Amino acid sequence: MRNKDIYLMKELKKQIAEFTRERDWDQFHSPKNLAIGLNIEASELLENFLWVEDQDSYQLPAEKLDNLKDEIGDVLIYLIGLADKFGLDPLACARQKMVKNRQKYPVDLVRGSAKKYTEYSR
């Protein structure tokens, strides 16, 4: 990972912690509550796609796109807060998960298919 990426993630984490501290909200930010909040925000993100055809989901109207940006921000904020409770780096977690995904979904076996890894015969 580039130094700039590390710096940006640390700065965002710092801003989130400061925002929470200033409002005395850390008392409410247990891992359980952060995980629930993350799920709720992810559901709110989905609302932008409700009743939208697949092809239309690539071209959201400006109002929905603005809302999508907010919800993506909320999801990331909750995710960073949850990771911080356990001393985890979300980017490192994602990189480690990609290594596992490459093993579970080898290109020659899964190309063009949306099946779950348990449905493939090796």
Side-chain angles (χ1 to χ4, degrees):
M1 186 166 49
R2 298 182 337 228
N3 287 340
K4 182 179 178 184
D5 295 334
I6 293 169
Y7 172 77
L8 292 174
M9 180 58 82
K10 284 182 178 180
E11 279 302 304
L12 180 56
K13 184 178 164 183
K14 190 168 120 182
Q15 288 175 14
I16 294 166
E18 182 178 317
F19 181 89
T20 302
R21 186 176 45 256
E22 288 172 345
R23 288 153 182 79
D24 194 25
W25 285 355
D26 199 52
Q27 61 182 313
F28 309 116
H29 287 191
S30 67
K32 174 195 70 97
N33 287 341
L34 290 169
I36 291 170
L38 174 61
N39 193 314
I40 291 168
E41 295 301 338
S43 295
E44 290 176 6
L45 183 146
L46 284 174
E47 192 173 19
N48 294 288
F49 299 101
L50 183 64
W51 314 123
V52 173
E53 296 293 329
D54 282 355
Q55 67 274 13
D56 295 333
S57 70
Y58 291 96
Q59 298 277 336
L60 293 177
E63 182 180 315
K64 283 192 176 191
L65 186 58
D66 285 344
N67 186 263
L68 180 65
K69 291 175 186 178
D70 287 345
E71 299 307 336
I72 288 172
D74 285 339
V75 167
L76 185 58
I77 289 165
Y78 273 96
L79 183 61
I80 289 171
L82 180 60
D84 191 45
K85 292 293 179 189
F86 295 96
L88 301 172
D89 172 1
L91 296 176
C93 292
R95 284 192 304 274
Q96 291 168 0
K97 181 60 177 167
M98 287 303 301
V99 169
K100 291 178 182 179
N101 287 345
R102 287 184 192 288
Q103 293 170 350
K104 286 174 31 177
Y105 296 98
V107 173
D108 60 333
L109 189 61
V110 304
R111 182 182 299 278
S113 176
K115 292 180 183 177
K116 186 173 177 168
Y117 71 96
T118 55
E119 299 177 60
Y120 294 105
S121 57
R122 292 185 185 242

